[in-house]
Amino acid sequence: MTSGYTSTGDSADHQPRWPAAIASLAVGAAFLGLWFWLLPIWLGFNVDLSGPARWRWIAAVPSVLGFAVALRCVWDFGWTGHGTPAPIAPPTKLVVVGFYRYVRNPMYLGFCAGWVGLWVIFGRANLAVIAVVCAVALGVVLFVLLYEEPHLRNLFGGEYEEYCRNVRRWIPRMRAWNK
């Protein structure tokens, strides 16, 4: 998944939006489907509704909200950016809409909240799984720092630099940034 690709989406933009939006949602759905298929078994998800475990369902709230944020970001990639979350077909416009006005990587943060919520609901953590999750998180951070951000700087130049000066990478702003 890529992050931070955002565009102004001005009304003078006459490119067709639906094909890119549909392609973006297809890529997002495939990515989500792949992870929902692979990870539950790998993470040892198991439903336990007895005793205090029944309170785990409260974690469904941040999980659903996190995946909703990620889905909105996937939509923004297609509708406003005319691309997909896949690096092979990224958005062609720098789009600063929706959650991207608050934080540069809302898709990653949404997926993280969604998966942590599911882990709380179904998971049984052990040291090996926690270590792998930490390694994956570190890999995502390094991917953003070493590939995504330099690529976006090359692609969008000063427009992206201004965005970076005004919107933090991981900690959301209290108010939406308006260019």
PDB file of all heavy atoms in Angstrom, residues 131-157:
ATOM      1  N   ALA A 131       6.710 -10.263  18.011  1.00  0.00           N
ATOM      2  CA  ALA A 131       7.976  -9.921  17.352  1.00  0.00           C
ATOM      3  C   ALA A 131       7.784  -9.743  15.847  1.00  0.00           C
ATOM      4  O   ALA A 131       8.324  -8.799  15.255  1.00  0.00           O
ATOM      5  CB  ALA A 131       9.027 -10.999  17.628  1.00  0.00           C
ATOM      6  N   VAL A 132       7.009 -10.618  15.226  1.00  0.00           N
ATOM      7  CA  VAL A 132       6.763 -10.511  13.790  1.00  0.00           C
ATOM      8  C   VAL A 132       5.960  -9.243  13.483  1.00  0.00           C
ATOM      9  O   VAL A 132       6.266  -8.523  12.522  1.00  0.00           O
ATOM     10  CB  VAL A 132       6.050 -11.770  13.252  1.00  0.00           C
ATOM     11  CG1 VAL A 132       5.563 -11.567  11.832  1.00  0.00           C
ATOM     12  CG2 VAL A 132       6.976 -12.968  13.331  1.00  0.00           C
ATOM     13  N   VAL A 133       4.955  -8.947  14.287  1.00  0.00           N
ATOM     14  CA  VAL A 133       4.155  -7.734  14.078  1.00  0.00           C
ATOM     15  C   VAL A 133       5.030  -6.490  14.218  1.00  0.00           C
ATOM     16  O   VAL A 133       4.925  -5.548  13.422  1.00  0.00           O
ATOM     17  CB  VAL A 133       2.952  -7.701  15.044  1.00  0.00           C
ATOM     18  CG1 VAL A 133       2.274  -6.337  15.039  1.00  0.00           C
ATOM     19  CG2 VAL A 133       1.957  -8.794  14.675  1.00  0.00           C
ATOM     20  N   CYS A 134       5.922  -6.478  15.185  1.00  0.00           N
ATOM     21  CA  CYS A 134       6.853  -5.348  15.342  1.00  0.00           C
ATOM     22  C   CYS A 134       7.787  -5.235  14.140  1.00  0.00           C
ATOM     23  O   CYS A 134       8.070  -4.127  13.670  1.00  0.00           O
ATOM     24  CB  CYS A 134       7.652  -5.487  16.638  1.00  0.00           C
ATOM     25  SG  CYS A 134       6.665  -5.188  18.113  1.00  0.00           S
ATOM     26  N   ALA A 135       8.245  -6.353  13.626  1.00  0.00           N
ATOM     27  CA  ALA A 135       9.107  -6.337  12.442  1.00  0.00           C
ATOM     28  C   ALA A 135       8.350  -5.815  11.221  1.00  0.00           C
ATOM     29  O   ALA A 135       8.895  -5.033  10.432  1.00  0.00           O
ATOM     30  CB  ALA A 135       9.664  -7.735  12.166  1.00  0.00           C
ATOM     31  N   VAL A 136       7.088  -6.210  11.069  1.00  0.00           N
ATOM     32  CA  VAL A 136       6.274  -5.719   9.960  1.00  0.00           C
ATOM     33  C   VAL A 136       6.060  -4.211  10.108  1.00  0.00           C
ATOM     34  O   VAL A 136       6.171  -3.463   9.129  1.00  0.00           O
ATOM     35  CB  VAL A 136       4.930  -6.474   9.878  1.00  0.00           C
ATOM     36  CG1 VAL A 136       3.955  -5.779   8.935  1.00  0.00           C
ATOM     37  CG2 VAL A 136       5.160  -7.918   9.453  1.00  0.00           C
ATOM     38  N   ALA A 137       5.756  -3.745  11.311  1.00  0.00           N
ATOM     39  CA  ALA A 137       5.571  -2.308  11.542  1.00  0.00           C
ATOM     40  C   ALA A 137       6.847  -1.538  11.205  1.00  0.00           C
ATOM     41  O   ALA A 137       6.795  -0.487  10.552  1.00  0.00           O
ATOM     42  CB  ALA A 137       5.144  -2.053  12.982  1.00  0.00           C
ATOM     43  N   LEU A 138       7.986  -2.059  11.617  1.00  0.00           N
ATOM     44  CA  LEU A 138       9.261  -1.421  11.282  1.00  0.00           C
ATOM     45  C   LEU A 138       9.476  -1.410   9.767  1.00  0.00           C
ATOM     46  O   LEU A 138       9.923  -0.418   9.199  1.00  0.00           O
ATOM     47  CB  LEU A 138      10.420  -2.135  11.983  1.00  0.00           C
ATOM     48  CG  LEU A 138      11.817  -1.604  11.661  1.00  0.00           C
ATOM     49  CD1 LEU A 138      11.966  -0.151  12.110  1.00  0.00           C
ATOM     50  CD2 LEU A 138      12.871  -2.485  12.314  1.00  0.00           C
ATOM     51  N   GLY A 139       9.127  -2.501   9.114  1.00  0.00           N
ATOM     52  CA  GLY A 139       9.237  -2.569   7.660  1.00  0.00           C
ATOM     53  C   GLY A 139       8.374  -1.518   6.971  1.00  0.00           C
ATOM     54  O   GLY A 139       8.810  -0.884   6.003  1.00  0.00           O
ATOM     55  N   VAL A 140       7.163  -1.302   7.473  1.00  0.00           N
ATOM     56  CA  VAL A 140       6.279  -0.288   6.898  1.00  0.00           C
ATOM     57  C   VAL A 140       6.889   1.101   7.074  1.00  0.00           C
ATOM     58  O   VAL A 140       6.921   1.905   6.142  1.00  0.00           O
ATOM     59  CB  VAL A 140       4.865  -0.362   7.515  1.00  0.00           C
ATOM     60  CG1 VAL A 140       4.039   0.868   7.159  1.00  0.00           C
ATOM     61  CG2 VAL A 140       4.153  -1.634   7.068  1.00  0.00           C
ATOM     62  N   VAL A 141       7.390   1.383   8.271  1.00  0.00           N
ATOM     63  CA  VAL A 141       8.005   2.689   8.539  1.00  0.00           C
ATOM     64  C   VAL A 141       9.201   2.905   7.608  1.00  0.00           C
ATOM     65  O   VAL A 141       9.347   3.980   7.007  1.00  0.00           O
ATOM     66  CB  VAL A 141       8.412   2.817  10.022  1.00  0.00           C
ATOM     67  CG1 VAL A 141       9.275   4.044  10.253  1.00  0.00           C
ATOM     68  CG2 VAL A 141       7.173   2.860  10.908  1.00  0.00           C
ATOM     69  N   LEU A 142      10.043   1.905   7.466  1.00  0.00           N
ATOM     70  CA  LEU A 142      11.211   2.030   6.588  1.00  0.00           C
ATOM     71  C   LEU A 142      10.788   2.188   5.119  1.00  0.00           C
ATOM     72  O   LEU A 142      11.397   2.955   4.375  1.00  0.00           O
ATOM     73  CB  LEU A 142      12.145   0.836   6.756  1.00  0.00           C
ATOM     74  CG  LEU A 142      12.864   0.764   8.104  1.00  0.00           C
ATOM     75  CD1 LEU A 142      13.647  -0.532   8.221  1.00  0.00           C
ATOM     76  CD2 LEU A 142      13.759   1.978   8.302  1.00  0.00           C
ATOM     77  N   PHE A 143       9.759   1.478   4.707  1.00  0.00           N
ATOM     78  CA  PHE A 143       9.239   1.607   3.351  1.00  0.00           C
ATOM     79  C   PHE A 143       8.779   3.043   3.090  1.00  0.00           C
ATOM     80  O   PHE A 143       9.087   3.628   2.050  1.00  0.00           O
ATOM     81  CB  PHE A 143       8.089   0.621   3.129  1.00  0.00           C
ATOM     82  CG  PHE A 143       7.439   0.727   1.783  1.00  0.00           C
ATOM     83  CD1 PHE A 143       8.057   0.233   0.649  1.00  0.00           C
ATOM     84  CD2 PHE A 143       6.184   1.314   1.656  1.00  0.00           C
ATOM     85  CE1 PHE A 143       7.457   0.326  -0.599  1.00  0.00           C
ATOM     86  CE2 PHE A 143       5.581   1.416   0.405  1.00  0.00           C
ATOM     87  CZ  PHE A 143       6.221   0.924  -0.711  1.00  0.00           C
ATOM     88  N   VAL A 144       8.056   3.613   4.052  1.00  0.00           N
ATOM     89  CA  VAL A 144       7.587   4.995   3.915  1.00  0.00           C
ATOM     90  C   VAL A 144       8.766   5.955   3.846  1.00  0.00           C
ATOM     91  O   VAL A 144       8.817   6.833   2.975  1.00  0.00           O
ATOM     92  CB  VAL A 144       6.639   5.365   5.077  1.00  0.00           C
ATOM     93  CG1 VAL A 144       6.386   6.867   5.142  1.00  0.00           C
ATOM     94  CG2 VAL A 144       5.321   4.611   4.949  1.00  0.00           C
ATOM     95  N   LEU A 145       9.740   5.788   4.743  1.00  0.00           N
ATOM     96  CA  LEU A 145      10.879   6.712   4.800  1.00  0.00           C
ATOM     97  C   LEU A 145      11.831   6.570   3.615  1.00  0.00           C
ATOM     98  O   LEU A 145      12.317   7.574   3.084  1.00  0.00           O
ATOM     99  CB  LEU A 145      11.668   6.496   6.091  1.00  0.00           C
ATOM    100  CG  LEU A 145      10.966   6.878   7.392  1.00  0.00           C
ATOM    101  CD1 LEU A 145      11.809   6.450   8.583  1.00  0.00           C
ATOM    102  CD2 LEU A 145      10.687   8.365   7.423  1.00  0.00           C
ATOM    103  N   LEU A 146      12.105   5.346   3.212  1.00  0.00           N
ATOM    104  CA  LEU A 146      13.140   5.111   2.210  1.00  0.00           C
ATOM    105  C   LEU A 146      12.631   5.027   0.770  1.00  0.00           C
ATOM    106  O   LEU A 146      13.397   5.245  -0.162  1.00  0.00           O
ATOM    107  CB  LEU A 146      13.913   3.842   2.554  1.00  0.00           C
ATOM    108  CG  LEU A 146      14.596   3.849   3.923  1.00  0.00           C
ATOM    109  CD1 LEU A 146      15.237   2.503   4.208  1.00  0.00           C
ATOM    110  CD2 LEU A 146      15.599   4.988   4.022  1.00  0.00           C
ATOM    111  N   TYR A 147      11.358   4.704   0.584  1.00  0.00           N
ATOM    112  CA  TYR A 147      10.842   4.601  -0.781  1.00  0.00           C
ATOM    113  C   TYR A 147       9.730   5.612  -1.063  1.00  0.00           C
ATOM    114  O   TYR A 147       9.841   6.422  -1.979  1.00  0.00           O
ATOM    115  CB  TYR A 147      10.325   3.180  -1.075  1.00  0.00           C
ATOM    116  CG  TYR A 147       9.604   3.138  -2.399  1.00  0.00           C
ATOM    117  CD1 TYR A 147      10.315   3.183  -3.594  1.00  0.00           C
ATOM    118  CD2 TYR A 147       8.217   3.105  -2.462  1.00  0.00           C
ATOM    119  CE1 TYR A 147       9.659   3.195  -4.823  1.00  0.00           C
ATOM    120  CE2 TYR A 147       7.549   3.113  -3.676  1.00  0.00           C
ATOM    121  CZ  TYR A 147       8.280   3.154  -4.850  1.00  0.00           C
ATOM    122  OH  TYR A 147       7.625   3.175  -6.055  1.00  0.00           O
ATOM    123  N   GLU A 148       8.646   5.540  -0.286  1.00  0.00           N
ATOM    124  CA  GLU A 148       7.471   6.345  -0.609  1.00  0.00           C
ATOM    125  C   GLU A 148       7.742   7.839  -0.608  1.00  0.00           C
ATOM    126  O   GLU A 148       7.418   8.526  -1.575  1.00  0.00           O
ATOM    127  CB  GLU A 148       6.347   6.052   0.389  1.00  0.00           C
ATOM    128  CG  GLU A 148       5.423   5.002  -0.088  1.00  0.00           C
ATOM    129  CD  GLU A 148       4.184   4.901   0.776  1.00  0.00           C
ATOM    130  OE1 GLU A 148       4.029   5.637   1.766  1.00  0.00           O
ATOM    131  OE2 GLU A 148       3.356   4.063   0.440  1.00  0.00           O
ATOM    132  N   GLU A 149       8.283   8.338   0.481  1.00  0.00           N
ATOM    133  CA  GLU A 149       8.473   9.785   0.570  1.00  0.00           C
ATOM    134  C   GLU A 149       9.462  10.319  -0.466  1.00  0.00           C
ATOM    135  O   GLU A 149       9.160  11.327  -1.116  1.00  0.00           O
ATOM    136  CB  GLU A 149       8.851  10.190   1.989  1.00  0.00           C
ATOM    137  CG  GLU A 149       7.671  10.031   2.929  1.00  0.00           C
ATOM    138  CD  GLU A 149       7.948  10.492   4.340  1.00  0.00           C
ATOM    139  OE1 GLU A 149       9.093  10.891   4.654  1.00  0.00           O
ATOM    140  OE2 GLU A 149       7.001  10.465   5.147  1.00  0.00           O
ATOM    141  N   PRO A 150      10.614   9.682  -0.699  1.00  0.00           N
ATOM    142  CA  PRO A 150      11.484  10.169  -1.778  1.00  0.00           C
ATOM    143  C   PRO A 150      10.796  10.106  -3.149  1.00  0.00           C
ATOM    144  O   PRO A 150      10.950  11.010  -3.972  1.00  0.00           O
ATOM    145  CB  PRO A 150      12.699   9.244  -1.726  1.00  0.00           C
ATOM    146  CG  PRO A 150      12.729   8.738  -0.325  1.00  0.00           C
ATOM    147  CD  PRO A 150      11.287   8.643   0.088  1.00  0.00           C
ATOM    148  N   HIS A 151      10.034   9.046  -3.378  1.00  0.00           N
ATOM    149  CA  HIS A 151       9.317   8.913  -4.645  1.00  0.00           C
ATOM    150  C   HIS A 151       8.300  10.048  -4.821  1.00  0.00           C
ATOM    151  O   HIS A 151       8.185  10.636  -5.904  1.00  0.00           O
ATOM    152  CB  HIS A 151       8.624   7.549  -4.715  1.00  0.00           C
ATOM    153  CG  HIS A 151       7.836   7.343  -5.962  1.00  0.00           C
ATOM    154  ND1 HIS A 151       8.406   7.174  -7.205  1.00  0.00           N
ATOM    155  CD2 HIS A 151       6.494   7.301  -6.163  1.00  0.00           C
ATOM    156  CE1 HIS A 151       7.466   7.029  -8.108  1.00  0.00           C
ATOM    157  NE2 HIS A 151       6.293   7.104  -7.503  1.00  0.00           N
ATOM    158  N   LEU A 152       7.569  10.360  -3.764  1.00  0.00           N
ATOM    159  CA  LEU A 152       6.582  11.439  -3.837  1.00  0.00           C
ATOM    160  C   LEU A 152       7.252  12.799  -4.027  1.00  0.00           C
ATOM    161  O   LEU A 152       6.733  13.653  -4.746  1.00  0.00           O
ATOM    162  CB  LEU A 152       5.716  11.441  -2.574  1.00  0.00           C
ATOM    163  CG  LEU A 152       4.766  10.249  -2.441  1.00  0.00           C
ATOM    164  CD1 LEU A 152       4.149  10.210  -1.054  1.00  0.00           C
ATOM    165  CD2 LEU A 152       3.706  10.285  -3.510  1.00  0.00           C
ATOM    166  N   ARG A 153       8.398  12.990  -3.386  1.00  0.00           N
ATOM    167  CA  ARG A 153       9.148  14.246  -3.578  1.00  0.00           C
ATOM    168  C   ARG A 153       9.575  14.400  -5.045  1.00  0.00           C
ATOM    169  O   ARG A 153       9.479  15.476  -5.612  1.00  0.00           O
ATOM    170  CB  ARG A 153      10.365  14.290  -2.663  1.00  0.00           C
ATOM    171  CG  ARG A 153      10.043  14.735  -1.279  1.00  0.00           C
ATOM    172  CD  ARG A 153      11.293  14.913  -0.408  1.00  0.00           C
ATOM    173  NE  ARG A 153      10.868  15.252   0.936  1.00  0.00           N
ATOM    174  CZ  ARG A 153      10.507  14.375   1.862  1.00  0.00           C
ATOM    175  NH1 ARG A 153      10.528  13.090   1.590  1.00  0.00           N
ATOM    176  NH2 ARG A 153      10.121  14.776   3.051  1.00  0.00           N
ATOM    177  N   ASN A 154      10.055  13.323  -5.632  1.00  0.00           N
ATOM    178  CA  ASN A 154      10.452  13.358  -7.043  1.00  0.00           C
ATOM    179  C   ASN A 154       9.261  13.582  -7.963  1.00  0.00           C
ATOM    180  O   ASN A 154       9.357  14.280  -8.954  1.00  0.00           O
ATOM    181  CB  ASN A 154      11.164  12.064  -7.454  1.00  0.00           C
ATOM    182  CG  ASN A 154      12.540  11.950  -6.848  1.00  0.00           C
ATOM    183  OD1 ASN A 154      13.156  12.942  -6.487  1.00  0.00           O
ATOM    184  ND2 ASN A 154      13.010  10.728  -6.715  1.00  0.00           N
ATOM    185  N   LEU A 155       8.142  12.970  -7.622  1.00  0.00           N
ATOM    186  CA  LEU A 155       6.959  13.032  -8.473  1.00  0.00           C
ATOM    187  C   LEU A 155       6.236  14.372  -8.387  1.00  0.00           C
ATOM    188  O   LEU A 155       5.834  14.929  -9.400  1.00  0.00           O
ATOM    189  CB  LEU A 155       6.016  11.895  -8.077  1.00  0.00           C
ATOM    190  CG  LEU A 155       4.933  11.468  -9.029  1.00  0.00           C
ATOM    191  CD1 LEU A 155       5.522  11.030 -10.365  1.00  0.00           C
ATOM    192  CD2 LEU A 155       4.130  10.325  -8.420  1.00  0.00           C
ATOM    193  N   PHE A 156       6.075  14.899  -7.165  1.00  0.00           N
ATOM    194  CA  PHE A 156       5.249  16.084  -6.964  1.00  0.00           C
ATOM    195  C   PHE A 156       6.009  17.324  -6.503  1.00  0.00           C
ATOM    196  O   PHE A 156       5.420  18.385  -6.372  1.00  0.00           O
ATOM    197  CB  PHE A 156       4.119  15.776  -5.982  1.00  0.00           C
ATOM    198  CG  PHE A 156       3.196  14.691  -6.465  1.00  0.00           C
ATOM    199  CD1 PHE A 156       3.129  13.479  -5.808  1.00  0.00           C
ATOM    200  CD2 PHE A 156       2.397  14.877  -7.587  1.00  0.00           C
ATOM    201  CE1 PHE A 156       2.284  12.472  -6.253  1.00  0.00           C
ATOM    202  CE2 PHE A 156       1.556  13.884  -8.035  1.00  0.00           C
ATOM    203  CZ  PHE A 156       1.489  12.681  -7.368  1.00  0.00           C
ATOM    204  N   GLY A 157       7.317  17.200  -6.239  1.00  0.00           N
ATOM    205  CA  GLY A 157       8.174  18.346  -5.937  1.00  0.00           C
ATOM    206  C   GLY A 157       7.704  19.233  -4.798  1.00  0.00           C
ATOM    207  O   GLY A 157       7.393  18.775  -3.707  1.00  0.00           O
TER     208      GLY A 157
END
